Amino acid sequence: MKIRDIIHSRLIFVSGKGGVGKTCVASAIGKTSAQTGKKVLLVEVDNFHASFPAIFGGDMSYTPRELESNLYGCNITWMKALEDWLVGTVRVRTIVQMILKNRVAMLFLNATPGAREIVILSKIADLLDDYDQVIVDLPASGHALGILRVPGTAIELMRSGPIYERAKQILRVFSHPRAMVLLCALPEEMVVNETLEFAQKIKQDVPQIQNLGVVINRVSVPSFNEAEATLLSRLSTTEPIDSSTSIEVRNMIDSAIWDQSLEEASARSIDRLNDELGYDVLTLPKLGLLGGFGGGTPKVVQQMSTIFTRTFRMEQS
Ligand SMILES: Nc1ncnc2c1ncn2[C@@H]1O[C@H](COP(=O)(O)OP(=O)(O)OP(=O)(O)O)[C@@H](O)[C@H]1O
Ligand SMILES: [Mg+2]
């Protein structure tokens, strides 16, 4: 997979295990695409505490707001999306307000399996009309799969009705040749296992989405050449000569060995994912660790976006 496949996508669902960097990766892709002149929307889904403000500042509401030039963001909350959906379905605003204020109707809607997911996905599908690219920062893997498979299940269970019609419309959007699921992972065995399982489930349960990519985040890049690695392996088995410096020397050797094991784990994870998926995954290094780093998450996103932009330009040339 190339970065250009991501930049040229119309709709990107970003997911992966909790804390692996989904929000950062989604934001960095958004920044990169927006810089190419596309009008891009970053979407978070029904988040009680929106995540994008920590990166772009300000707040994140239901109505999209411009975060940077060409880049917009919104938080699609259930109640607002439901109101939009009812307006589109019932069409008479006073009746919509009556439904929203009716406790029994709301209890029913809240309890209807799949209603929330269909309403939110339907809003995302509508937003595609106004933007060149929509990037959805989905929740962690299991929950994300729960959302994405609802339209397919609705089609299987229903024969007609507004939910059935919307589900069909959402599946058409999923089937777009430039719709993709992008999974974020870390170079750790357990996370790689879960990513492969998740990729398999997406293929099985949401077959309409034809493109699936993986980004391995926080990869340790090789810092030792072969001669240094040999020296390190020799030092690790030799006793320090001068006992007064032995603890410091031992600590340095241990930390170098730790770095080397992280690099090896990264290389193993990348090879395994490439082998089992049958295409090359994208990688992002550990960022913001050198030079008195103090920029926090916005800096990480900035650095990721710089990497994406450089890679994109290299792919173009
Ligand atoms: N490549 C990286 N190098 C260093 N720090 C990173 C990197 N990627 C992400 N981070 C940091 O890791 C933390 C988690 O990132 P992020 O919020 O994007 O993860 P997430 O998968 O969206 O988490 P959640 O599951 O809670 O939504 C943030 O503090 C971010 O700054
Ligand atoms: Mg997040």
Side-chain angles (χ1 to χ4, degrees), residues 40-58:
V40 181
L41 178 67
L42 284 170
V43 175
E44 41 190 318
V45 176
D46 211 12
N47 257 354
F48 188 65
H49 292 293
S51 333
F52 291 132
I55 296 167
F56 298 99

Side-chain angles (χ1 to χ4, degrees), residues 176-193:
H176 190 286
R178 285 188 287 139
M180 74 159 8
V181 172
L182 186 65
L183 303 183
C184 297
L186 295 179
E188 294 166 15
E189 197 180 347
M190 290 296 286
V191 184
V192 168
N193 291 344

Side-chain angles (χ1 to χ4, degrees), residues 268-289:
R268 266 198 313 276
S269 302
I270 296 168
D271 284 351
R272 202 171 141 221
L273 279 162
N274 285 348
D275 269 4
E276 301 206 17
L277 292 166
Y279 54 80
D280 285 357
V281 296
L282 289 174
T283 61
L284 282 167
K286 274 188 210 162
L287 294 164
L289 295 177

Side-chain angles (χ1 to χ4, degrees), residues 133-148:
Q133 183 176 67
V134 173
I135 304 167
V136 188
D137 181 18
L138 282 178
S141 324
H143 189 183
L145 188 67
I147 295 175
L148 293 178

